[in-house]
Amino acid sequence: MKDLLIIIPAYNEEKSIERVVKNIITNFPEYDYVVVNDGSRDKTAKICKKNGFNYIDLPVNLGLAGAFQTGLKYAYRQGYEYALQYDGDGQHKIEYVDKLLAEIKNGSDIVIGSRFVDKKKPFSLRMLGSMVISFSIWLTTGKKIKDPTSGMRMFNRALLKEFAANLNYGPEPDTISYLLKQGVKVKEVQVEMDERMEGESYLNFSKSMSYMLRMVISILFIQSFRKRDKRYIKTERKV
């Protein structure tokens, strides 16, 4: 069984992808990685090919959920024990990988790299959305997730299998909320993140507001009607 795969969904990240991947290769060569080029319109794929990076080239843009699931399917089929969702825009810091890995090896199913475990959230419209989502998760699960929108998440083998097999398991707070209800152990560890300096985000302001509303509705109402496949409950208990 292989140890950890770092999954890097990338959409129009030509200005940052080379720096991000080379930073991983240079500082943490013991960990494998794969770039999932999500139908980028720019030179992301060409840069990956030119540098000999390990990458999957999706012919069309599937969105973050599609790129994420592609990476998890790859991780599961290639026999990895753990997988880390890692942004291709340079915001995440590779030096926190060991901290997340230690926590997941300590028995957690999902570990979130959180900016707010022991730091207060700054007040902004974007953070207001994060606060509302956090409150919705607490209201429905009794569990506090302080940074529900963090894109730095690590999954164990059992969750790799479950995410890879289910199309409606997106890398979103409503899925985390649903799994918390099912008894999945989710842990947050404090990390620092940089601001995006280059490239194109999946979310602009209007999409961010729509995203927040969609997440809240899903967490408060829709997730109560979801049923978890018993095969994954059994698998998880064996891990």
Side-chain angles (χ1 to χ4, degrees), residues 38-53:
D38 188 22
S40 296
R41 302 188 305 270
D42 65 2
K43 297 178 181 178
T44 299
K46 289 182 179 179
I47 291 170
C48 289
K49 184 176 181 179
K50 176 184 175 182
N51 285 277
F53 294 159

Side-chain angles (χ1 to χ4, degrees), residues 140 178 181-182 218-227:
T140 55
Y178 165 70
K181 285 184 178 180
Q182 302 299 315
S218 179
I219 291 167
L220 293 179
F221 303 105
I222 298 174
Q223 300 310 310
S224 299
F225 298 95
R226 288 178 67 174
K227 301 295 181 182

Side-chain angles (χ1 to χ4, degrees), residues 8 16-17 56 99 140 166 200 206 215 226:
I8 311 170
S16 60
I17 195 65
I56 299 169
K99 191 175 180 181
T140 55
N166 289 276
E200 180 178 335
S206 61
M215 285 299 105
R226 288 178 67 174

Side-chain angles (χ1 to χ4, degrees), residues 7 21 26 28 40 48 66 74 79 88 91 96 103 107 112 128 140 149 170 187 204-205 213-214 216 221 225 232 234:
I7 300 168
V21 175
T26 301
F28 286 84
S40 296
C48 289
Y74 177 87
Q91 293 188 77
Y96 290 105
E103 182 58 45
I112 300 172
L128 178 61
T140 55
T149 60
K187 179 76 174 180
N204 55 32
F205 178 77
L213 182 60
R214 178 163 51 88
V216 169
F221 303 105
F225 298 95
Y232 301 117
K234 292 178 182 178

Side-chain angles (χ1 to χ4, degrees), residues 60-152:
V60 296
N61 176 242
L62 298 180
L64 179 58
F68 168 77
Q69 188 178 48
T70 298
L72 288 190
K73 282 180 179 288
Y74 177 87
Y76 181 73
R77 291 172 181 175
Q78 293 295 318
Y80 286 93
E81 188 72 23
Y82 310 104
L84 174 69
Q85 178 189 350
Y86 190 86
D87 284 356
D89 58 15
Q91 293 188 77
H92 295 165
K93 295 186 176 182
I94 193 64
E95 55 263 38
Y96 290 105
V97 170
D98 283 342
K99 191 175 180 181
L100 272 68
L101 190 59
E103 182 58 45
I104 207 163
K105 287 184 175 180
N106 196 38
S108 296
D109 300 304
I110 300 173
V111 179
I112 300 172
S114 171
R115 295 160 287 183
F116 310 117
V117 173
D118 43 54
K119 290 192 175 184
K120 189 176 181 180
K121 284 183 182 178
F123 185 81
S124 66
L125 286 177
R126 186 171 183 177
M127 287 299 106
L128 178 61
S130 177
M131 292 174 188
V132 172
I133 292 172
S134 291
F135 178 75
S136 299
I137 293 174
W138 173 80
L139 195 64
T140 55
T141 69
K143 306 291 184 180
K144 291 184 178 180
I145 301 296
K146 296 183 178 181
D147 197 359
T149 60
S150 169
M152 192 177 193

